[in-house]
Amino acid sequence: MASIKQFQVTFDCAEPERVARFWCEALGYVVPPPPAGFASWDEFDRSLPAERRGSAFACVDPSGVGPRLFFQRVPEGKVVKNRVHLDVRAGAGLVGEERLAVLEAECARLVALGAVRVRLLPADGVEESCIVMQDVEGNEFCLD
């Protein structure tokens, strides 16, 4: 039986490069090198048929540990809550006020990049605090 060792997370979106660049900044990811034979992603994009230009973009964890993120243009807009979302683990291992301070600082950084703060889910005695947010195209994620 084969065992999957790698996966990527795919986002449907209207502007793949814009959303990818947000996530690069948010997570410390980088844009991978362009395909062989191309000096830049712009050069590669110009080689595509007009209808496919700007239709996809990706970013990767420079350490090679995290999954590749792939962004693909789709014609329909986002209309409902995501069924799957990313948890951005800024406060892992922290509790109480220390955790909340780290989450608030990271939230401010992400808002400056174009994210939207939706709401704080305060600690309830079982779960620690987290902040529900949206990326630059409204995809939900949790700052955890």
Side-chain angles (χ1 to χ4, degrees):
M1 182 163 101
S3 175
I4 305 296
K5 301 291 185 205
Q6 293 184 352
F7 67 94
Q8 76 177 9
V9 178
T10 300
F11 291 70
D12 290 349
C13 54
E15 297 179 60
E17 184 173 352
R18 178 176 176 245
V19 181
R21 291 199 182 277
F22 167 81
W23 283 106
C24 280
E25 289 295 321
L27 301 176
Y29 271 41
V30 297
V31 175
F38 294 94
S40 69
W41 280 105
D42 285 339
E43 182 183 327
F44 172 76
D45 202 48
R46 286 190 302 273
S47 75
L48 298 173
E51 68 275 4
R52 290 196 48 223
R53 291 182 190 143
S55 67
F57 213 82
C59 57
V60 297
D61 179 354
S63 71
V65 174
R68 178 179 191 251
L69 303 181
F70 183 74
F71 304 85
Q72 62 186 8
R73 184 174 58 215
V74 295
E76 67 277 358
K78 183 178 179 318
V79 294
V80 298
K81 184 180 182 299
N82 301 2
R83 295 284 307 255
V84 174
H85 67 267
L86 299 183
D87 285 345
V88 178
R89 308 294 316 274
L94 302 175
V95 297
E97 292 301 317
E98 182 182 15
R99 177 185 175 86
L100 196 52
V102 167
L103 294 180
E104 291 293 354
E106 185 64 8
C107 179
R109 184 182 79 84
L110 296 174
V111 166
L113 295 174
V116 173
R117 179 190 180 119
V118 176
R119 69 184 173 282
L120 170 68
L121 298 176
D124 61 9
V126 176
E127 298 290 331
E128 285 295 328
S129 299
C130 74
I131 300 174
V132 178
M133 302 189 72
Q134 294 176 335
D135 73 10
V136 295
E137 280 200 5
N139 299 301
E140 295 91 4
F141 66 97
C142 289
L143 188 52
D144 175 18

